[in-house]
Amino acid sequence: MMSKITTVLGCSLAIAFLIGLATTLTRSMMIGFYDVLPVYILMAVAIYMMIYEAFFDKK
């Protein structure tokens, strides 16, 4: 039970950090959406891989 709580807490903090990094790039007036799109794609892939490894990859 404690392992599951720490896994959920760690994943949620890491996801909040990654989303925060990606959203700070869009605040600049000189950077458009299409300039930040690769960052969003990489963040989505990283979040998916982190969740998959934490919860679904149990061999």
Side-chain angles (χ1 to χ4, degrees), residues 11-22:
C11 283
S12 62
L13 287 174
I15 288 170
F17 177 73
L18 290 174
I19 290 174
L21 278 178

Side-chain angles (χ1 to χ4, degrees), residues 38-50:
V39 175
Y40 284 140
I41 292 170
L42 287 175
M43 292 294 175
V45 169
I47 290 170
Y48 171 75
M49 287 171 40
M50 180 176 53

Side-chain angles (χ1 to χ4, degrees), residues 4-16:
K4 205 56 125 162
I5 293 171
T6 55
T7 303
V8 169
L9 183 64
C11 283
S12 62
L13 287 174
I15 288 170

Side-chain angles (χ1 to χ4, degrees), residues 22 25-26 31-45:
L25 291 173
T26 59
I31 300 174
F33 175 74
Y34 293 110
D35 296 329
V36 185
L37 190 60
V39 175
Y40 284 140
I41 292 170
L42 287 175
M43 292 294 175
V45 169

